[in-house]
Amino acid sequence: MRLILMGPPGAGKGTQAQFVADRFGVPAISTGDIFRANVSQGTALGLAAQRYMDSGEYVPDEITNKMVRIRIDEADAESGFLLDGYPRTLAQVDELDDMVASSGHRLDAVVVLTVDPEEIVARLLQRAQVEGRPDDTEDVIRRRQEVYAEQTEPLIEVYRTRGILIEVDGMGEVDDVTSRIFAALDVVQQS
Ligand code: AMP
């Protein structure tokens, strides 16, 4: 399975990505996690990405695309993957299409978690207290929502047109959301 998990910041993508990846036996590839690991290790990639992340902006496509290309080429992603937080721009959609096509495969499904924006901001403020992420201040949280609406929401229509979009209600208990995602993806897997 080659899957994408989308949704606004705070929709619970990271949590669900791990469950979905385990169920389908593929690696969960989170661009946010890879960037954060590079920032904490002080690599050149981390240094290049940090100022964008800290202000809630997207890291430039050329940096992000190169990083994903390298990650997807690793052995564990050969039989499939779940992308969490990529693609986020139309240029990244094109780049991913190229990566998938050049390996002779296709994307199976794009799952979008739909959530109430008010609840999202509340969740993110709570996470800020628990995890202390530098990009979880209120101003940055609001900026990240804006950037998502401007740059990433248009991707939903792109994938809907292709017939691979699955919208899942992301509200409520974590387990219930997981069950909804599994039910939708089981259908895809069997088809
Ligand atoms: P996340 O943990 O997915 O919310 O990502 C945290 C931050 O990493 C984002 O706010 C961006 O600054 C950066 N980032 C993650 N994925 C991407 C992407 N696909 N394109 C550009 N920037 C990204």
Side-chain angles (χ1 to χ4, degrees):
M1 294 278 269
R2 286 171 180 77
L3 306 168
I4 296 171
L5 187 58
M6 276 181 63
K13 286 192 304 294
T15 308
Q16 298 297 340
Q18 206 51 60
F19 294 140
V20 175
D22 289 350
R23 173 155 178 124
F24 294 98
V26 293
I29 299 176
S30 156
T31 42
D33 282 353
I34 302 175
F35 281 134
R36 276 185 290 279
N38 277 276
V39 168
S40 64
Q41 288 159 18
T43 68
L45 175 64
L47 287 175
Q50 185 164 23
R51 65 191 169 98
Y52 299 102
M53 298 172 73
D54 287 350
S55 56
E57 305 296 329
Y58 286 167
V59 177
D61 286 333
E62 62 270 24
I63 298 176
T64 309
N65 287 334
K66 200 168 143 195
M67 179 179 89
V68 173
R69 209 173 258 281
I70 291 169
R71 179 64 188 89
I72 274 186
D73 273 345
E74 285 176 25
D76 66 337
E78 214 166 283
S79 59
F81 50 74
L82 171 77
L83 290 169
D84 161 13
Y86 183 94
R88 265 167 144 122
T89 65
L90 292 167
Q92 292 179 13
V93 169
D94 290 344
E95 191 77 9
L96 178 63
D97 285 344
D98 185 63
M99 290 179 223
V100 173
S102 65
S103 69
H105 297 105
R106 63 182 169 84
L107 290 171
D108 294 290
V110 178
V111 175
V112 181
L113 296 178
T114 56
V115 284
D116 168 1
E118 291 299 312
E119 169 137 338
I120 280 193
V121 174
R123 272 193 208 176
L124 284 173
L125 288 170
Q126 195 187 12
R127 185 173 79 184
Q129 288 176 336
V130 178
E131 294 180 11
R133 269 175 52 162
D135 57 350
D136 271 351
T137 63
E138 189 156 357
D139 285 353
V140 176
I141 286 170
R142 296 207 184 279
R143 180 63 194 145
R144 291 169 72 217
Q145 304 297 335
E146 276 172 18
V147 172
Y148 179 84
E150 287 164 12
Q151 299 200 43
T152 306
E153 261 177 18
L155 276 54
I156 293 175
E157 290 314 312
V158 171
Y159 288 122
R160 194 195 309 279
T161 305
R162 291 188 195 180
I164 57 171
L165 188 79
I166 300 171
E167 284 173 291
V168 172
D169 177 5
M171 302 297 290
E173 295 299 318
V174 170
D175 289 355
D176 293 336
V177 177
T178 308
S179 303
R180 284 175 215 141
I181 299 174
F182 284 1
L185 288 178
D186 284 348
V187 173
V188 171
Q189 196 180 33
Q190 283 153 20
S191 64

